[in-house]
């Protein structure tokens, strides 16, 4: 029973089928193929505007290339202290940006607030050559703690970004889950509320290795293509990445997968909340459940073969556990886990 | 009729089938999976020693990460002036090494010789802080002009590298083609003759996006894993890359593909050589044919739908054309091209 | 009346005289001169062991080169959130280290404690490729708030560094002031209590542009010289930097300068503490006085021509002001400032 | 008798005197001082237009910062194969530009020609993401072989640069010598003939450690100031660098020094040319003499205490020697060397 990570699961049959369908016939290389063109077109439709689309293989790359395109080496990127870019990418954003500074900001439920960002900004004087210069805000949607930013929250942060001449990046490794949870449109969850660039995730939600960097103003993409090439992320047979995205977007496969994972998360959260000594640590708005439980219970679950991570520092004899739900998590695993917890 | 590039073709049925077989079941992420372990084991067998194996998605990445691991920012890398790393990677090696210097060396048939390297080395004083410090030699096998280094030639270059405290890297984007052409063992074409690290290619020879960096002395791999992670090249679902390599190596699929492409190259070269005004510009030792022909003929072929690149600067009313043969090039295309050329 | 910064003052007559004495006669370039050799020898005596000495022009460079030599691109550097390297160098350490991560830690009086570092370390898993790897602790001596680390405090932090395989760097832009305040030996304030590398400052204490990076174990210096050259910090006429250091160290000039500045700081602190509504915000252990005072008083002082900075965010109608004392601050300016404050 | 390098000599009395005159009084730090303002003004007069001026400590830094400001990481810089930036800066331009590519071009007398640059450019396809993108031409004035570019030659290269959207940088470590040799105005030797940015040298011609980066269109300077700060080259007591430049420019001190060195070079060249077996290898247009002589003679001169470097690879029993003349080379040393050679 794997609740350790949504990236432990493989790829969906639809997406694997799309790869097989590509076959061995020749097509132009390096993204100049028909599949990549179709995916770009499809994303323009989905986001209701002309966007610049760059397929890449994973989220670390999407985030790093997006940020490096918008942030100079002397720039500062404001993000949550628990953001994936800050803690789980081994300094990839610093590598791609040639040394820009990530400014970690604490906040409830892994969410940034305008007030918290404002407070952090107070340490940076504009045009003062000794200080890194505020260049971007990066937030994660859904967050690392399974919470989401509402369109209104996005708009407030975007307004702050604008006032300070910063760009707004969204790490959307679980964008589909956030969208499914919020029930708004992709446009509302991005550019209509001020998002400049999105790391549009697919890998955790059914693809093998596919994300897209989406610039809502294609002008912002500037030298992205050179950065992608220089960092080894321009694939010769790019259509195999694009085909994943095409299948992901076809027939609302992406939303169906996300809804399924989210629904399982709701079911699991409700089931666990009813168990003795278990509380849900953060609002469950996407496909993650953070359950605070007795360490003894966590130990017992592991003994039964349940895989999951503890999160943060143990607190007396309780631990906070992270339980991830995936497009492919068997329903019976959820039922069985609830049963075990009771 | 696509003779433009071996990377224009898609992926072989065996390799696509291997991806489908992975399915959606969970496995540990980031290369800690069973498939990756099996591929590593298989490559140890093939190369007849314990090697360190790191799957990546393409050749630019394999080359850049291999070199960055062995070469400090103040190091110099000696390579042919026509090497892929020097001319076709937009400075990726410089990016990954944080600014090491590629020293381009000219030479016949895109091949380095000990004498030419020695001459270039004369400009670099060891321990002299003003000079970049010689750190690695990188050669391409098969070369960008479809020629190969014999084991003896490798050994001579490796001996030079040792004398100067340099490492020897091989860009093996077409390693299988070189091997098939030379008929020696993988070990003979690498560590037995002094190669330290190999970019072991699969993408051009039947995979979607898969290569392996192979360090013949695992000690040399040092901080490779951090470099791969920081550059976005550690995939969460790494088994989908490893599975390509596994299928590639199974049942000599890689060698069969390479032999097929090489045989087509021989056939094409012989056919073209018999055409009026056509000469073969470089020895055909792998899967590339460089045919010097009247510009009018090249034009006529293109009008018939034959895709290929001109190579280098036109020479009067003749051009040198590059004709690449692939694992998937239809035999009839070769026959048809010969026919058209006559 | 300039209390804005100790780096606003020029250079002492002794040090300027040493430059004049160099004259125009030829000597070997790039540090291979007699003056540099003598300074190295003198620092070995002062620190009571063989040390590796590299003159550079300023503190940002000394810090960045020292850290880049010890910390890989995937490394993490633990420092106080108010450390000069974290907030006032525009990301220079990130540039020189090719993207290592500075981990800012809060703490009273701009000082790190083992407990606070330990808490920060809990977020970094050793050998876990997704996390930046703890590589160094950097502390400032005297700190940015004019406080100092005692030898015992250093030893405790050094012990922690050792346990975690990290190096200990000291930003000693005001090392002389710390030493003068503590009254111990240079060796006690460094390697005898676990410091690995020191940015030994002179610029703020009487030189024009001179610091020395001192590695207490010369083995640690590794490729420092290439890094200094590549970053433009190897001067051809290095003896003009070394001559500043030689004069700085001669006849205890450095300590005399520091004692003078420290004594003025004590006098100023006592004088201000007696003024109505003024309190001293941090212990005065070196040459800085942080005085909390009514904003109206600060305004009045400025109107009288007193130069100084406010520090941090205003607190109601009070501000914290930073008043720096220098080797060259006129005594009468101190007396006058006290008088004005009363 | 030192003919090894013009940077072996110390600093002129005028320049050392200017430092002493600064003294210890406070002034604003980081270049916001009166001296720096005056130097900027003076250079605007000398170059007959509003220019952006940034003092730095040496030529490697001036070159690297100038190029990094104009060339993106994916850019290519075309320079002579013997250019200082290519062979004597240990990869500093690559470090500052984050990995841009230097394209070495061979040519007589260390000079670039439009034809040679054009030939090199043929290998770079504009907008082709696999190729580094031509961004700048860098030439050295006077060259590393003591030759100069005439205003007409500059204009031709600048025209080529414009056609290809490239900027033109001049490494003017010996700009004064070139100017003195050519007898034109500073404006004619720079922007009036298409130069965009100049590394204006002073160190080799009488200063301790001072150069200025001069952008002829201040718009080009863009984020220069952040780059200077991040690389440790913004000095707190910048006026000590600016004061060197001020004294250097006062009363034509710079031109007098250069004329003196150039005149000594002429005298030495004529004297040596008359010696048996000695020929002058390159036109003597500045302060360097390259004399081809019997190895036995070179050996004998060294035995007499003459310091100089051999240049390039020995040629049978002859060597090419480089003899540098400086603002401070004693006249009698020149006379004595000629005598010894006869």
């Amino acid at each position: 029973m794997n609740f350790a990570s949504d990236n432990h699961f493989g790829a969906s049959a639809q997406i694997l089928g799309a790869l097989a369908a590509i076959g061995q016939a020749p097509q132009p290389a390096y993204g100049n193929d028909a599949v990549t063109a179709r995916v770009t077109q499809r994303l323009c439709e989905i986001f209701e505007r002309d966007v610049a689309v760059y397929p890449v293989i994973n989220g670390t790359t999407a985030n790093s290339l997006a940020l490096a395109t918008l942030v100079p080496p002397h720039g500062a990127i404001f993000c949550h202290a628990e953001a994936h870019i800050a803690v789980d990418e081994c300094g990839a954003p610093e590598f791609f940006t040639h040394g820009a500074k990530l400014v970690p900001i604490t906040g409830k439920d892994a969410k940034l607030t305008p007030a918290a960002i404002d407070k952090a900004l107070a340490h940076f004087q504009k045009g003062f050559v000794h200080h890194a210069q505020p260049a971007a805000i990066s937030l994660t949607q859904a967050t690392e703690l399974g919470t989401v930013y509402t369109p209104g929250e996005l708009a407030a942060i975007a307004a702050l970004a604008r006032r300070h001449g910063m760009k707004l990046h969204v790490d959307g490794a679980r964008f589909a889950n956030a969208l499914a949870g919020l029930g708004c449109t992709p446009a509302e969850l991005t550019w209509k509320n001020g998002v400049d660039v999105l790391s549009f995730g697919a890998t955790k939600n059914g693809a093998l290795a596919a994300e897209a960097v989406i610039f809502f103003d294609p002008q912002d993409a500037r030298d992205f293509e050179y950065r992608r090439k220089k960092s080894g992320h321009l694939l010769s047979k790019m259509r195999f990445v694009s085909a994943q995205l095409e299948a992901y977007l076809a027939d609302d496969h992406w939303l169906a997968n996300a809804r399924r994972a989210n629904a399982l998360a709701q079911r699991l959260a409700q089931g666990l909340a009813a168990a003795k000594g278990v509380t849900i640590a953060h609002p469950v708005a996407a496909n993650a459940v953070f359950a605070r439980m007795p360490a003894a219970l966590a130990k017992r679950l592991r003994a039964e073969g349940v895989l999951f991570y503890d999160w943060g520092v143990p607190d007396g004899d309780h631990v906070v556990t992270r339980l991830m739900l995936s497009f492919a998590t068997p329903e019976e695993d959820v039922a069985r886990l609830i049963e075990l917890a009771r």
Side-chain angles (χ1 to χ4, degrees), chain A:
Chain A
M1 282 178 287
N2 193 310
F3 296 89
S5 180
D6 36 1
N7 71 25
H8 281 208
F9 287 86
S12 75
Q14 289 92 319
I15 288 173
L16 288 168
L19 295 191
I22 296 279
Q24 70 176 40
Q27 281 211 26
Y30 298 112
N32 301 311
D33 58 86
V35 189
T36 304
R38 289 197 307 263
V39 163
T40 299
Q41 182 50 36
R42 185 74 193 100
L43 283 165
C44 292
E45 292 162 16
I46 285 172
F47 284 97
E48 305 173 43
R49 68 179 289 164
D50 276 355
V51 296
V53 173
Y54 300 97
V56 295
I57 55 164
N58 60 17
T60 293
T61 303
N63 293 334
S64 295
L65 282 172
L67 290 168
T69 301
L70 297 176
V71 176
H74 62 273
I77 300 162
F78 295 77
C79 64
H80 196 279
E82 300 183 43
H84 197 269
I85 61 167
V87 299
D88 280 315
E89 299 183 355
C90 196
E94 288 92 338
F95 175 55
F96 281 78
T97 59
H98 304 293
K101 189 181 282 288
L102 270 66
V103 181
I105 298 173
T106 53
K108 198 165 170 310
D109 295 333
K111 288 174 66 178
L112 294 172
T113 62
I117 300 169
D118 240 343
K119 199 174 152 195
L121 274 166
H123 296 279
F124 293 80
Q125 190 178 331
K126 283 285 180 47
F128 185 59
V129 76
H130 308 277
H131 287 178
Q133 294 295 300
I137 298 171
S138 176
L139 52 84
T140 313
Q141 176 80 305
T143 74
E144 288 76 9
L145 294 180
T147 58
V148 295
Y149 291 87
T150 64
E153 288 170 336
L154 282 180
I157 291 173
L160 174 67
R162 290 293 168 279
R163 275 201 304 281
H164 290 275
M166 294 189 284
K167 296 288 185 178
L168 180 56
H169 165 252
V170 168
D171 173 354
R174 297 184 182 100
F175 184 77
N177 300 96
L179 196 67
L182 285 160
C184 57
T185 69
E188 285 164 356
L189 210 53
T190 53
W191 64 272
K192 284 192 176 171
N193 283 296
V195 174
D196 293 299
V197 61
L198 171 68
S199 298
F200 179 80
T203 308
K204 289 183 196 293
N205 193 33
L208 300 64
E211 323 267 312
V213 178
I214 301 176
F215 289 93
F216 295 101
D217 177 352
Q219 296 297 320
D220 281 341
R222 292 181 290 196
D223 55 4
F224 183 94
E225 297 218 42
Y226 292 101
R227 294 181 186 275
R228 182 169 62 168
K229 174 66 193 178
K230 256 183 106 80
S231 60
H233 287 290
L234 179 64
L235 277 73
S236 56
K237 303 184 181 179
M238 185 62 90
R239 61 193 179 280
F240 286 105
V241 177
S242 301
Q244 296 177 58
L245 294 170
E246 189 175 39
Y248 183 67
L249 298 171
D251 306 321
D252 280 355
H253 183 49
W254 61 308
L255 293 172
N257 281 358
R259 284 186 198 117
R260 184 182 184 283
N262 287 8
L264 291 178
Q266 291 298 335
R267 190 185 313 170
L268 180 60
Q270 286 160 26
L272 291 179
K276 198 179 149 197
V278 180
T279 53
I280 302 304
H282 303 287
V284 177
N287 64 323
V289 176
F290 286 81
R292 186 171 177 275
M293 63 178 66
L297 173 55
K299 191 174 172 185
R300 188 154 55 75
L301 293 174
R302 287 195 169 104
E304 296 283 349
V306 186
L307 299 178
F308 58 88
Y309 287 107
D310 289 352
W311 216 249
V313 186
D315 146 33
D317 56 356
H318 278 68
V319 292
V320 173
T321 61
R322 185 186 79 157
L323 302 155
M324 294 303 303
L325 287 302
S326 145
F327 79 99
T329 307
E331 287 196 32
E332 57 269 29
D333 285 6
V334 174
R336 173 80 177 130
L337 173 53
I338 292 169
E339 196 180 294
L340 287 169
R342 283 181 175 170

